[in-house]
Amino acid sequence: MSIKFYNTLTRKKEEFKPINEKEIKMYSCGPTVYYFAHIGNLRAYLFMDNLRRVFKYNGYNLKHVMNITDVGHLVSDSDEGEDKMIKAAKRENKNPFEIAQFYMDAFLADIDKLNIDRPEIIAKATEHIDVMEEYVKKIIENGYTYQTEDTIYFDTSKLDKYGVLSNRNIEDQKAGARVEFDKNKKNISDFALWIKAPQNHIMKWDSFFGKSYPGWHLECSAMGCKYLGEQFDIHTGGVDHIPIHHENEIAQSKGYSGKIPANYWMHVEFLQINGGKMSKSLNNLYTLKDLEEKGYEPLVYRMFNFTSSYRAQINFTFEAMEAAKVALNRLREGYLKHSEGNEEISDEEIKNYEKRFLDAINDDLNMPVAMSIVWEIVRNPKKSKKLKELLLKFDEVLGLDLKKYKKEENILPDDVIKLVNDRNEARLNKNWAESDRIRDVLIEKGYTVKDSKTGTIVEK
Ligand code: AMP
Ligand code: ZN
């Protein structure tokens, strides 16, 4: 079965050919753990999970690495501003290691709630300083760097071409630069690989460069190479990584081994809020917890993301979340409806659904089309357990946990049982006023009340 993906590197949709059929090797840029992930960030990991699930559905094994940036990510990708981790440490009056641990745990809890499968390897930058040191030493040996008093820079002019992913060259960057670039750099696209730590810098390690710390692009190259080799299949991230972070990863890898590290580069577009950017100052930056507090279970946000291709921007509104909530309930009801049925569905009909679903997901993860097939099944007027099984199978890709969904059993709380008994007794005594009063209390509590020969029947 052929799988096609849009490859940012070649700027076209291509048939996917793994390096090794037995196991796909994939790397995803993970979070910088200095604050709670917002729902835009979480879209990036929902995409990553979607891709994992599509591979698994196609029968592949995966070796998938995701990094956790817990050191050295400055405020902008191009190394300007204050270090994000240190800024957060000051804000919360903790040390940066505590900040990293706290927000990493919060991130993992969020992805678990969204039913995002964890990558086989989750690698923290601070646990790989020695790996990065060995990696950078080789780039230095290979002649791709220069050094100032406090920084080792990557010299991008040493490459045959810098900017293969975004198709930009150094001259374009100079022309487009909004600010004067750091005078210590020889070229505007050069970037820091290793930095000497100032006296009061907490996150620092003893290394060949004294007390120092790595630049943030380095971790992905070094850890990717450690776990997946010099060349692997797929590299993923958000579109904001294309022009700097991923170009710099490619530069480092070329400096290290002469190779571009991944054959396929896949990038997820941004989530917008009410048609614009999410930002704290606009008070429109939501976390998963914010959504939960507004009454949306996390899987509703997962469902919402299936309304768009990962390559298109998606616009978040609460109306759209409401629609996703209704849709998720409808899907669960459809699943239940088919669980109860035994009507005849031909194998051919099942195969047809299966084929169209597979075609959709293997066409660059076309989830809107895949979902349209799911809806056809839900709406199929014949109730059939075969259709239920099919929805369960598709749920391996959707990750909506349908199998956990069962018809709510009518288990009554003790106070309701007592009210029912009291009402039955009132009716036996022909105390209609008391019987009506208790009926109203039950209705108030959200129950429907019917009378039968055996007594009061209530249902939530
Ligand atoms: P960060 O923790 O800032 O490194 O970001 C984590 C991931 O979230 C990266 O892959 C970003 O590309 C991605 N990202 C950031 N903002 C958005 C957004 N609004 N929509 C989708 N992805 C985003
Ligand atoms: Zn990265």
Side-chain angles (χ1 to χ4, degrees):
M1 180 67 212
S2 102
I3 308 180
K4 286 200 173 114
F5 294 133
Y6 181 83
N7 186 354
T8 311
L9 189 61
T10 56
R11 282 170 278 280
K12 53 179 195 268
K13 223 192 247 185
E14 288 177 352
E15 184 166 342
F16 175 72
K17 294 207 176 76
I19 296 169
N20 179 345
E21 280 287 339
K22 289 212 178 92
E23 188 178 64
I24 289 169
K25 293 196 168 77
M26 176 161 128
Y27 187 96
S28 297
C29 288
T32 306
V33 282
Y34 64 103
Y35 201 59
F36 294 109
H38 58 62
I39 55 174
N41 300 138
L42 293 173
R43 180 185 198 205
Y45 304 106
L46 282 166
F47 153 70
M48 173 191 94
D49 181 64
N50 199 189
L51 184 59
R52 284 182 59 86
R53 286 171 180 272
V54 166
F55 277 130
K56 292 214 156 171
Y57 191 87
N58 278 274
Y60 286 110
N61 291 319
L62 284 173
K63 185 171 184 187
H64 179 199
V65 180
M66 179 178 71
N67 64 301
I68 302 277
T69 300
D70 53 359
V71 58
H73 189 169
L74 303 178
V75 160
S76 81
D77 284 1
S78 47
D79 292 350
E80 283 140 10
E82 200 179 356
D83 187 301
K84 287 182 182 178
M85 297 301 303
I86 292 170
K87 199 174 164 191
K90 282 187 195 154
R91 181 185 69 218
E92 300 186 21
N93 210 10
K94 288 183 187 161
N95 83 43
F97 294 95
E98 289 167 341
I99 291 283
Q101 190 63 47
F102 178 82
Y103 289 113
M104 184 178 93
D105 291 345
F107 170 76
L108 294 175
D110 277 354
I111 66 169
D112 287 351
K113 279 185 183 174
L114 284 165
N115 223 4
I116 291 171
D117 279 348
R118 292 197 186 181
E120 283 66 30
I121 297 165
I122 297 183
K124 284 165 79 170
T126 50
E127 287 172 3
H128 294 79
I129 302 291
D130 54 335
V131 178
M132 288 189 241
E133 201 179 330
E134 289 314 304
Y135 196 93
V136 84
K137 278 190 197 159
K138 191 160 168 206
I139 302 178
I140 296 170
E141 253 171 57
N142 289 348
Y144 283 87
T145 61
Y146 57 94
Q147 180 176 330
T148 62
E149 204 179 308
D150 57 6
T151 308
I152 296 169
Y153 286 104
F154 191 99
D155 185 348
T156 52
S157 67
K158 293 272 166 73
L159 297 167
D160 48 349
K161 181 173 160 55
Y162 174 83
V164 286
L165 211 53
S166 45
N167 211 16
R168 294 195 314 164
N169 56 34
I170 296 175
E171 289 309 310
D172 290 344
Q173 285 208 13
K174 269 188 196 152
R178 269 173 293 154
V179 285
E180 277 282 289
F181 72 91
D182 177 357
K183 284 280 179 288
N184 293 316
K185 292 189 197 176
K186 290 189 190 163
N187 310 287
I188 191 163
S189 48
D190 293 353
F191 55 94
L193 289 170
W194 209 269
I195 305 145
K196 223 164 238 171
Q199 265 293 315
N200 56 355
H201 201 92
I202 302 167
M203 295 188 116
K204 58 189 168 195
W205 291 264
D206 282 318
S207 77
F208 68 99
F209 204 44
K211 290 223 179 295
S212 50
Y213 61 95
W216 92 275
H217 308 292
L218 197 60
E219 64 187 81
C220 292
S221 295
M223 299 194 296
C225 182
K226 174 182 162 77
Y227 292 110
L228 303 173
E230 288 175 3
Q231 272 188 310
F232 47 91
D233 295 301
I234 300 189
H235 198 308
T236 80
V239 284
D240 56 327
H241 286 338
I242 300 172
I244 298 175
H245 180 53
H246 286 171
E247 293 295 10
N248 291 354
E249 274 192 47
I250 290 175
Q252 290 167 156
S253 186
K254 282 189 172 173
Y256 179 87
S257 66
K259 294 170 189 158
I260 294 180
N263 291 338
Y264 300 84
W265 292 73
M266 296 176 72
H267 293 98
V268 52
E269 253 298 349
F270 263 37
L271 174 94
Q272 301 249 311
I273 301 242
N274 295 318
K277 245 187 110 141
M278 245 185 308
S279 88
K280 268 211 185 110
S281 57
L282 293 172
N283 204 18
N284 65 2
L285 194 149
Y286 299 111
T287 61
L288 197 63
K289 188 160 160 262
D290 293 330
L291 297 188
E292 287 181 286
E293 279 169 8
K294 285 179 186 292
Y296 298 104
E297 60 174 301
L299 291 184
V300 172
Y301 183 61
R302 190 178 177 96
M303 187 82 179
F304 160 81
N305 276 274
F306 293 147
T307 55
S308 145
S309 150
Y310 76 89
R311 283 209 293 130
Q313 287 189 347
I314 187 168
N315 189 29
F316 179 91
T317 60
F318 281 101
E319 291 79 52
M321 278 295 281
E322 268 309 304
K325 189 175 176 178
V326 170
L328 182 58
N329 279 336
R330 206 167 282 161
L331 174 54
R332 287 168 171 168
E333 278 161 19
Y335 170 75
L336 280 183
K337 174 186 92 173
H338 288 310
S339 313
E340 288 159 5
N342 272 319
E343 289 181 70
E344 185 51 36
I345 299 279
S346 71
D347 289 347
E348 213 160 285
E349 198 173 343
I350 297 287
K351 272 195 196 128
N352 181 275
Y353 283 134
E354 276 179 338
K355 179 182 181 314
R356 288 163 57 220
F357 183 82
L358 190 63
D359 285 348
I361 59 171
N362 285 357
D363 179 17
D364 203 18
L365 312 184
N366 195 335
M367 293 313 290
V369 170
M371 284 311 291
S372 72
I373 295 145
V374 169
W375 293 125
E376 278 182 41
I377 299 170
V378 166
R379 283 194 301 261
N380 193 316
K382 289 187 196 155
K383 290 186 192 174
S384 161
K385 286 202 177 59
K386 275 193 192 170
L387 294 177
K388 171 211 150 181
E389 290 303 322
L390 195 57
L391 287 174
L392 267 189
K393 183 172 175 190
F394 291 176
D395 198 36
E396 287 166 24
V397 175
L398 307 181
L400 293 168
D401 243 349
L402 286 178
K403 68 175 179 308
K404 281 201 188 141
Y405 197 66
K406 296 194 176 79
K407 204 170 184 98
E408 253 182 60
E409 282 167 31
N410 199 21
I411 299 169
L412 300 173
D414 290 348
D415 61 329
V416 174
I417 293 173
K418 181 169 184 319
L419 286 166
V420 169
N421 291 339
D422 289 351
R423 186 167 185 266
N424 287 341
E425 198 176 317
R427 289 178 71 79
L428 275 177
N429 298 333
K430 300 203 177 355
N431 185 348
W432 308 121
E434 179 62 0
S435 154
D436 286 354
R437 189 192 68 77
I438 298 176
R439 185 194 58 204
D440 292 347
V441 174
L442 286 166
I443 290 172
E444 181 83 348
K445 284 181 180 287
Y447 290 87
T448 56
V449 180
K450 281 188 212 144
D451 294 318
S452 76
K453 278 183 202 150
T454 53
T456 303
I457 297 176
V458 293
E459 215 171 297
K460 186 82 176 161

